[in-house]
Amino acid sequence: MYITCLDLEGVLVPEIWIAFAEASGIPELKRTTRDEPDYDKLMKWRIGILKEHGLGLKEIQETIEKIDPLPGAKEFLDELRSFTQVIIISDTFTQFATPLMKKLGWPTIFCNSLEVAENGEITGFKMRIENSKLTTVKALQSIGYETIASGDSYNDLGMIQASKAGFLFKSTDKIKADHPELPAYETYDELMNAIKNAML
């Protein structure tokens, strides 16, 4: 019994914060988990920048509405879901992910939630569970599933390394160089073949 666990941003959809950095003209917001392994630190820093510029959830959601999945992502996901269970495990937030899940055909996603004031200001965030990707993979294994995992960032390494098979996908040169033991792929066809072979 297999479950494939995928990261969302950088794997199936573009990085939300990079898109918002470009839309808002605030280059500092381009920093992601590819650059900063400490997610708590990264999010607190982002919230501070939003506050400084008077930006809230509404402005970010307006950008997200214009984001489409990466070319081929929906087709990849549709085919993958035809022969195995798939869960997207992301450090993003329900308020960001919902419009993107609609465009991906409503796959299952486990993510976090934002704390938003009545005026739309993002005041904080609530993580579903600490170290959510690794914790989720271990929980799935504890109920009898073998996991296959793929992602692109530092915060995906735990679930990739803990799975029966794990792959980097569209990752950075630094992460690939730091983890030469992890197979790294750039196309959905390569990733699909690797997942299928892992299930044999």
Side-chain angles (χ1 to χ4, degrees):
M1 300 275 279
Y2 285 95
I3 287 190
T4 301
C5 300
L6 299 174
D7 177 36
L8 177 65
E9 294 178 65
V11 174
L12 298 169
V13 304
E15 292 279 353
I16 292 167
W17 286 98
I18 291 177
F20 185 63
E22 286 165 1
S24 63
I26 306 169
E28 307 96 282
L29 286 174
K30 286 189 175 172
R31 196 168 172 78
T32 71
T33 47
R34 288 172 163 216
D35 314 297
E36 173 53 74
D38 185 334
Y39 192 73
D40 192 61
K41 185 175 160 189
L42 179 64
M43 269 311 296
K44 285 176 178 163
W45 180 78
R46 285 169 170 168
I47 289 169
I49 290 177
L50 293 175
K51 193 176 175 66
E52 200 181 299
H53 290 269
L55 296 168
L57 181 60
K58 179 173 157 285
E59 289 80 9
I60 300 175
Q61 285 178 328
E62 283 167 0
T63 298
I64 292 169
E65 286 293 339
K66 298 178 190 139
I67 295 176
D68 285 319
L70 293 169
K74 185 174 185 302
E75 295 75 9
F76 165 77
L77 205 50
D78 287 347
E79 185 184 336
L80 192 58
R81 290 164 74 197
S82 74
F83 64 85
T84 181
Q85 296 296 313
V86 179
I87 297 175
I88 297 168
I89 308 175
S90 173
D91 277 339
T92 193
F93 305 95
T94 310
Q95 294 94 329
F96 290 1
T98 304
L100 297 167
M101 292 306 100
K102 185 178 179 184
K103 291 179 183 180
L104 286 169
W106 298 112
T108 299
I109 182 167
F110 292 174
C111 61
N112 306 303
S113 60
L114 290 167
E115 293 165 353
V116 184
E118 280 185 20
N119 66 357
E121 182 190 336
I122 298 170
T123 55
F125 56 97
K126 189 172 186 335
M127 301 301 277
R128 183 172 54 83
I129 193 168
E130 199 174 327
N131 206 350
S132 68
K133 298 186 181 195
L134 175 60
T135 309
T136 302
V137 156
K138 286 191 164 169
L140 291 167
Q141 291 166 353
S142 79
I143 55 170
Y145 286 97
E146 295 269 22
T147 59
I148 296 170
S150 184
D152 68 324
S153 293
Y154 285 106
N155 61 343
D156 299 311
L157 293 172
M159 74 170 179
I160 290 170
Q161 290 161 334
S163 291
K164 184 184 180 199
F167 314 107
L168 291 169
F169 186 67
K170 296 183 185 287
S171 191
T172 66
D173 290 340
K174 174 148 183 32
I175 293 173
K176 287 189 277 195
D178 287 349
H179 295 277
E181 77 285 2
L182 296 176
Y185 301 111
E186 295 299 320
T187 72
Y188 290 119
D189 286 346
E190 290 171 333
L191 183 57
M192 182 70 76
N193 287 335
I195 292 168
K196 284 179 175 172
N197 287 335
M199 294 173 70
L200 293 175

